[in-house]
Amino acid sequence: MTDLDQTRVELLGAIAAADAEALETIRVSALGKSGSITALMKTLGQMSPEERQAKAPAIQAFRGAVADAIAERKAALDAAALDARLASERLDMTRPVAAGAEGSVHPVSQVMDELAEIFADLGFAVATGPEIEDDWHNFTALNIPETHPARAMHDTFYFPDEEGRAHRMLLRTHTSPVQIRTMMTQQPPIRIIAPGRVYRSDSDATHTPMFHQIEGLVIDKDIHLGHLRWTLETFLKAFFERDDIVLRLRPSYFPFTEPSVEVDVGYSIEKGRRVIGGSEGWMEVLGSGMVHPKVIAACGLDPDEYQGFAFGTGVDRLAMLKYGMDDLRAFFDGDLRWLRHYGFRALDVPTLSGGVGA
Ligand code: DAH
C-alpha cells in the first residue's frame, strides 16, 4: 500500500465517523487553502512532465474521493439534523385546546370570514389588491375626476411625488380599485368580493385613519339592477340572520356607477335599542350601482357587451351594526378587555349551516 492509499483509508474512515463540527475541521485541514491535499496538488506544478503524468491521476483521484466523501457525509448529517428537528418540533394537532387559552378572533376578522362564507355560497371569489395604490387605479379608472373632493390632500394619504413615475402613489382610499385590477386581468363572467384595509385622513368616533371595506363586483352579459337588489337582499338576510330584512334603494351618486343607489336597511326598536329588521326607521348600509360604462371601457372591456353591478361598504360598520359596538376607535385600541368581550372563539368558524354569527 502506498502512503497515499494509507492516508486515504484513514481520511475516509475519519470522514465517515465525523460529526458536523469534526467534518468541517477535516475539510479545512485537507481541502482548505493550506490543507494537506491542497499542498499535494501544488506539488504537481513542480514535477517534470513525465513525473506529473505518472502521479497526477492518483493524486487527483484521491482529492476527488475525499471531496465526494465529505459532501456525502455532510448531506447525511444535514438530513439527520432536519429529521431530529422535525421530530422535536412536532405538534399534536389533535390535542384539545388548553383550557383558558388566550386570544380571540377580532370582530373585523370574524365579519370578513362571515362575508366570505356568505358570498362564496353565491359563487363569488375573494380578490385582493395592494394597499399602496396608484392614483390611476384608485381614482382615474373609476371615473373620479381630477377635481373630485376625494382626491384632496385632506382626504387622501399621498406618497411624495417621484420623478419618472407616471402615477402618483397613495394609500388606497377604498377597495374599489380591486374592481379595476380584476377586470383588467380576468375575462367575464366576474363575480368577486374584495375585503381589505383602506386609509383616509380622518379621525373621530366613527372614523379612523385606517378602516376596512368590502367591495363586490359582478360583470357579465345582461346584468341589471334586479340582480343587484336580489344579491344584496340575500346577503343582508344571511349576514344579519333574519328574514324580515327590508331594503330601501335610494338614488344617489358615485362617479363609478350609473345609476347609483344607496341602500338602507330597516330597523325596529326593541327594548329601547335599534335592531336590524322591520321598517320603523332606516339606516344606510351600502353604496352600489351599475358599473359605469366608462369604468368598464377603462379596463379594456366593451361596455356594449358587458354590464355589471358593484357595491361597497364598511366592514367595521357592519360589525358595529351586527354586534352592537358604538365606538369605532375601540376596534384598534388593542384593549384586552374589549377583545375578550367582543372577540370570537378561534375554533368557531362561521358556516352557513351552523350560523355565520358563530
Ligand atoms: N367606494 C365607495 C366608498 O368608498 C363605496 C362604493 C360605493 C363602492 C358604490 C362601490 C359602489 O362599488 O358601487 O365610499
Side-chain angles (χ1 to χ4, degrees):
M1 210 186 235
T2 63
D3 280 358
L4 210 55
D5 289 338
Q6 178 64 29
T7 323
R8 177 186 177 134
V9 169
E10 279 170 21
L11 251 181
L12 293 184
I15 289 168
D19 62 12
E21 208 179 318
L23 189 68
E24 181 58 11
T25 311
I26 295 173
R27 190 189 65 76
V28 172
S29 72
L31 302 174
K33 244 193 187 154
S34 32
S36 54
I37 298 181
T38 312
L40 204 54
M41 297 288 287
K42 281 185 191 152
T43 62
L44 290 174
Q46 279 117 48
M47 291 176 191
S48 65
E50 298 74 37
E51 197 186 355
R52 192 180 308 130
Q53 216 167 26
K55 294 198 172 160
I59 294 178
Q60 274 156 353
F62 174 44
R63 187 188 183 284
V66 171
D68 287 352
I70 290 177
E72 202 177 302
R73 180 68 187 152
K74 181 159 175 16
L77 287 171
D78 285 351
L82 181 63
D83 282 349
R85 195 167 146 209
L86 287 175
S88 72
E89 290 179 4
R90 178 132 101 212
L91 288 178
D92 182 356
M93 302 299 282
T94 63
R95 285 180 64 177
V97 176
E102 287 281 329
S104 59
V105 175
H106 194 282
V108 170
S109 304
Q110 167 75 19
V111 166
M112 283 191 180
D113 288 349
E114 293 177 20
L115 296 173
E117 174 71 14
I118 292 168
F119 279 102
D121 194 55
L122 297 176
F124 285 64
V126 173
T128 55
E131 288 169 32
I132 298 176
E133 253 304 359
D134 59 59
D135 65 0
W136 189 82
H137 287 90
N138 195 82
F139 292 131
T140 314
L142 286 159
N143 194 34
I144 300 176
E146 296 282 348
T147 51
H148 196 280
R151 291 207 184 209
M153 284 288 189
H154 60 257
D155 280 321
T156 302
F157 292 112
Y158 286 97
F159 285 79
D161 235 344
E162 260 180 82
E163 233 177 90
R165 233 185 223 295
H167 299 292
R168 185 91 184 259
M169 302 304 286
L170 43 82
L171 293 179
R172 67 178 179 191
T173 59
H174 52 175
T175 42
S176 303
V178 183
Q179 285 187 29
I180 303 299
R181 291 185 175 276
T182 307
M183 278 190 270
M184 293 188 73
T185 52
Q186 290 177 27
Q187 279 302 309
I190 291 171
R191 257 176 275 156
I192 55 124
I193 52 165
R197 294 195 184 98
V198 300
Y199 302 83
R200 284 183 208 170
S201 184
D202 214 350
S203 187
D204 60 37
T206 51
H207 298 89
T208 48
M210 186 281 291
F211 59 105
H212 302 84
Q213 282 193 337
I214 184 160
E215 191 80 12
L217 175 72
V218 169
I219 300 284
D220 204 345
K221 293 179 177 165
D222 304 322
I223 298 291
H224 53 73
L225 214 53
H227 296 117
L228 168 64
R229 191 189 167 96
W230 180 88
T231 306
L232 293 181
E233 193 172 297
T234 306
F235 147 53
L236 290 167
K237 280 182 176 166
F239 180 71
F240 288 109
E241 296 174 68
R242 295 179 68 122
D243 284 330
D244 60 348
I245 297 286
V246 190
L247 296 193
R248 189 172 75 170
L249 270 55
R250 270 183 299 109
S252 182
Y253 173 76
F254 300 105
F256 32 88
T257 44
E258 179 56 38
S260 302
V261 288
E262 255 163 343
V263 180
D264 297 338
V265 60
Y267 64 81
S268 34
I269 307 284
E270 282 176 22
K271 299 197 194 103
R273 293 198 56 183
R274 285 181 183 185
V275 178
I276 300 289
S279 56
E280 279 177 56
W282 300 96
M283 229 177 311
E284 187 199 320
V285 286
L286 280 160
S288 65
M290 300 305 293
V291 181
H292 199 296
K294 277 190 176 175
V295 174
I296 295 182
C299 298
L301 297 173
D302 179 359
D304 290 331
E305 189 177 1
Y306 293 110
Q307 308 75 44
F309 63 81
F311 55 90
T313 186
V315 174
D316 318 84
R317 188 171 151 71
L318 286 179
M320 290 166 88
L321 286 175
K322 182 166 176 181
Y323 294 113
M325 308 87 165
D326 52 16
D327 191 337
L328 180 62
R329 288 169 297 198
F331 276 57
F332 309 112
D333 282 347
D335 183 332
L336 277 179
R337 292 162 303 179
W338 189 90
L339 288 167
R340 279 196 196 104
H341 183 77
Y342 287 112
F344 293 81
R345 278 177 47 94
L347 298 179
D348 287 343
V349 178
T351 59
L352 281 180
S353 53
V356 285

